[in-house]
Amino acid sequence: MVKAGIWGVGIGVPDRVLTNKDLEQMVDTSDEWITSRTGIRERRIADPAQATSDLALLAARKAMEDARVDASEIDLIIVATVTPDSMFPATACLVQAGIGAAQAAAFDLSAGCSGFIYALEIAARCVEAGAYRRVLVVGADTLSRITNWTDRSTCVLFGDGAGACVVGPVKQGGVLSMYLGADGTGGDKLHIPAGGSRLPLTAEAMQEGKQYIHMAGNEVFKFAVRIMGDAAVEVIRRAGLQSEDIELFVPHQANIRIIDAAAKRLGLTPEKVFVNVQKYGNTSAASIPLALAEALEQDKIRPGDHVVLVGFGAGLTWGAAALQWNAEEDQLR
Ligand code: COA
């Protein structure tokens, strides 16, 4: 069976930076509180004219360039997002039109901050099965649009961004193992109450702020600490590896304390853990590909390295991937 690997990556983030100091002017918070409880120092915020597909397109174009793949070669596009441009059409279709990938099927995937890992699993399995040969996977969110900017317990956490990769067949290595999971009984711990078929958006619902993210922060925190470690341990076991074989751990960037707890459980030293939460906050489905692309840019991943990606999020969901990074010669063009 052919294997699937990542051929190229790219990111797209808005220019506007919102710092903790800026937030001090908006809600009753402090730079000290945000930094010590979350590790976040600043985040990017989309321009009013920018929607999720615009950030997704920036990332997609860079990933295609990095992978040396033309739009005409892309045969499937998956966009993981909880902030589509609109309920429909799918943001993936807007990306398809934007890059001009006329041969590609396109759909969105909703798995919160685990969305990129979910999409990566589908892409990898499609490539392995020979059903598709060049899959564009994008994680993109503009959480600033669903954030209540008067709620200090959530507004300090989130930011906007997109990350993308092209998945294609490889001779060896690539995606070694994956592990996805969900616990729908925890759905109400992190959700948007209104704007769907259960509670359509009305003036009354909006007055109560039900169009925004609602989160039981402490419960999500406990879930995240447990599941990040469990998912990483399981995906490493499925790959037939030990944690000491891992050269780089690229976790979902939600909170430095959650990342540190997972790293401790795996016995990883700080240089084996990639962190950029201080620059972007929690960018939801974009978080892992954004971190992966920056880790590559900083030469923290070399061909042959074992890399573990782990995410958790709304659903509740979680997902992990163990990869062996490919050399360009491994790509089956
Ligand atoms: N600035 C100042 N104080 C704040 C604050 C802010 N931005 N947000 C909350 N507080 C206050 C609370 O009101 C509370 O005050 P009280 O004790 O007087 O009631 C106090 O800080 C402690 O709140 P608590 O919720 O216990 O803090 P915490 O240590 O659990 O940290 C989170 C809060 C949100 C940072 C943490 O729970 C978390 O990261 N949860 C997971 C969130 C997440 O990752 N979500 C996305 C999943 S994809």
Side-chain angles (χ1 to χ4, degrees), residues 23 27-34 36-38 40 112-114 143 151-158 189-190 213 215-224 252-258 282 284 311-314 316-317:
L23 280 163
V27 287
D28 180 15
T29 191
S30 65
D31 176 32
E32 199 283 325
W33 191 95
I34 303 170
S36 62
R37 300 291 178 111
T38 71
I40 302 166
C113 304
S114 316
L143 291 186
D151 173 12
R152 70 175 184 173
S153 69
T154 53
C155 76
V156 301
L157 303 174
F158 304 119
K189 307 274 182 271
L190 179 53
I213 298 171
M215 181 177 72
N218 208 266
E219 290 178 63
V220 174
F221 186 88
K222 283 188 223 145
F223 156 75
H252 171 43
Q253 308 284 314
N255 184 320
I256 191 68
R257 288 153 59 211
I258 298 171
N282 180 346
S284 186
F312 59 88
L316 299 167
T317 55

Side-chain angles (χ1 to χ4, degrees), residues 294-313:
E294 289 204 338
L296 283 159
E297 198 180 80
Q298 293 169 23
D299 262 340
K300 298 205 174 205
I301 301 174
R302 302 284 170 86
D305 281 358
H306 296 101
V307 179
V308 167
L309 317 177
V310 186
F312 59 88

